[in-house]
Amino acid sequence: QSVLTQPPSASGTPGQTVTISCSGSRSIIGTNFVSWYQRVPGTAPKLLVYSTNKRPSGVSDRFSGSKSGTSASLAIRGLRSDDEADYYCAAWDDSLTGRVVFGGGTKLTVL
Amino acid sequence: QLQLQESGPGLVKASETLSLTCNVSGGSINRNIYYWAWIRQPPGKSLEWLASIYYSGISYSNPSLKGRVTISLDSSKNQISLKVNSVTATDTALYYCARQWDVAVVGPEAPFDHWGQGTLVTVSS
């Protein structure tokens, strides 16, 4: 059971906008930045969004992040077939001695 | 171009110590703006952060591993290492090393902006 809760699956057709949620607690998402990662099977995870809503250089602006209260979201606009992958959210957990926590992951299928 | 390459034994016997090395090329680990980390992904499960280390040697580890994890670095070799002791089948996973960086944050909470390809470790009984 992951500390951050994501839907196990999501789907959409090419061109659509898909949103993936990530729910946590006040000591995690409520007070810290969220990052999002894309993992295509057989490849290393790739950073898509950091500091909740910033994109690294080279990441398409079709990917955007946001946060409200203790939940964060990743939106993928103009869905493409090569967006089919697993997506993970992550954040710092202030409780105890501190740790990085990940969501359970969402498998995105492009129909 | 920064590259991270993990290496390790592939197969470890239960109760023994798992040792992994991450060779970093294309950049120095001895810089005060980065942390370096190990993350793993068991088969069919999500990602799990194991530990992070700063060039000075300051390190943080996941309390859920109950002290079984040790992270270290060797600046002369530009390598980061991981040891997990008393391994069991639940330590079977794909192990990644990664760099952590954010212009606004220097700490274990920074995002993982570069990853290695990962190395698979299987714990056998």
Side-chain angles (χ1 to χ4, degrees), chain B residues 54-76:
Chain B
Y54 194 44
Y55 82 105
S56 64
I58 294 172
S59 65
Y60 299 80
S61 59
N62 193 328
S64 69
L65 276 291
K66 296 179 171 39
R68 294 194 300 122
V69 169
T70 303
I71 188 172
S72 60
L73 54 78
D74 186 333
S75 298
S76 66

Side-chain angles (χ1 to χ4, degrees), chain A residues 37 39 43-45 47 50-51 88 92 97-100 102-104, chain B residues 41 46-47 49 62-63 94 96 102 108-109 111-113 115-117:
Chain A
Y37 302 87
R39 184 169 181 265
T43 70
L47 178 64
Y50 68 101
S51 292
Y88 299 90
W92 182 256
T97 58
R99 57 175 178 166
V100 177
F102 286 91
Chain B
Q41 185 166 30
S46 184
L47 297 162
W49 171 73
N62 193 328
L94 186 58
Y96 294 102
D102 183 341
E109 67 271 37
F112 308 101
D113 71 329
W115 297 65
Q117 288 299 310

Side-chain angles (χ1 to χ4, degrees), chain B residues 19-41:
Chain B
S19 296
L20 298 174
T21 298
C22 175
N23 189 62
V24 179
S25 59
S28 173
I29 66 172
N30 199 33
R31 293 194 63 189
N32 63 358
I33 57 174
Y34 303 127
Y35 266 71
W36 303 89
W38 286 95
I39 299 137
R40 70 182 181 183
Q41 185 166 30

